[in-house]
Amino acid sequence: MIPRYRLLWLVLSLAILCAACGPGNTVRLIPPPALSGQSLPAPNAPSICVVNFEDGRSDEYSVGVRRDGSAFTTNQNMSEWISRALADELARDGLRVTYAVSVAQARSGNPDYLVTGRVDNVWLKEDGRLQLTSSMRVNLALANRKGRIWSETCNSSETKAGLPSKGWADDLLLSTLKDLIKPIAQKIVQTVNKK
């Protein structure tokens, strides 16, 4: 039989260990998997340039709130993370894709299409000890050389339940990003292919 003080010490040690394994306040923006060699554009594929999205949020580095009231933050550029992920997804779909930091830079390359956008919301909320929710909202526009041909507000949200780990928030944001950009890329490809 384990003496009472050893049992108490063991329980306390496990509690501290579990607390240390939980998500931290700093969230890393993990890029989606890199393009494979199989994702080459077709020779006659239209060219499209994704311009780095504007960040319309009031605080570029705050991405949510913990149960204790402290903030989830990131020291990385959220709008660049989202716009580059969309560019990579479009390239996976067979388009000839470039990325630009401004509309002027994009137009200098004379692409067939231009994608611009604004990040309106990226938010994590620790709902409970074992649950985390994320949401994203982006306003997008697709234009050809004549002008805008499509615009839309796109949203994605997810909830993750389970035992928290160090990369819990990072993984949830990446999953929410993938759910956001896949349908956007499909709509852009469909619109481009109809023209």
Side-chain angles (χ1 to χ4, degrees):
M1 185 161 169
I2 300 175
R4 187 174 284 207
Y5 71 90
R6 282 193 181 174
L7 182 60
L8 182 59
W9 180 82
L10 181 64
V11 169
L12 184 60
S13 297
L14 286 173
I16 290 171
L17 201 73
C18 287
C21 294
N25 284 35
T26 302
V27 179
R28 293 178 308 123
L29 303 179
I30 303 168
L35 292 172
S36 67
Q38 300 167 345
S39 301
L40 297 174
N44 59 348
S47 62
I48 189 164
C49 185
V50 177
V51 180
N52 187 41
F53 297 164
E54 295 175 43
D55 198 331
R57 301 172 302 137
S58 59
D59 184 348
E60 295 178 10
Y61 300 102
S62 177
V63 292
V65 64
R66 305 282 308 259
R67 281 185 320 118
D68 63 7
S70 62
F72 280 115
T73 60
T74 185
N75 56 8
Q76 295 170 280
N77 187 314
M78 183 66 68
S79 58
E80 181 181 357
W81 180 62
I82 294 172
S83 50
R84 283 193 183 274
L86 177 59
D88 289 346
E89 188 64 28
L90 290 168
R92 279 185 189 86
D93 290 336
L95 298 177
R96 289 184 298 135
V97 180
T98 55
Y99 179 82
V101 295
S102 68
V103 173
Q105 181 187 24
R107 287 193 175 134
S108 70
N110 197 27
D112 298 320
Y113 296 92
L114 201 63
V115 177
T116 56
R118 185 183 70 239
V119 178
D120 287 335
N121 178 44
V122 176
W123 198 250
L124 284 168
K125 184 177 179 203
E126 196 174 31
D127 297 318
R129 190 178 310 264
L130 303 175
Q131 186 168 306
L132 190 62
T133 301
S134 68
S135 62
M136 291 184 185
R137 184 176 63 246
V138 177
N139 281 299
L140 292 162
L142 175 68
N144 60 15
R145 292 183 181 118
K146 295 177 183 175
R148 182 181 290 187
I149 56 175
W150 171 80
S151 64
E152 189 171 328
T153 299
C154 303
N155 298 286
S156 179
S157 62
E158 283 191 37
T159 298
K160 188 173 190 173
L163 290 175
S165 64
K166 187 175 181 180
W168 207 35
D170 309 346
D171 294 339
L172 181 59
L173 263 188
L174 176 59
S175 179
T176 307
L177 173 69
K178 289 177 182 177
D179 284 351
L180 178 75
I181 62 170
K182 282 188 183 293
I184 292 170
Q186 289 172 355
K187 287 178 185 178
I188 291 172
V189 169
Q190 288 170 358
T191 304
V192 165
N193 287 338
K194 286 179 185 175
K195 297 292 176 187

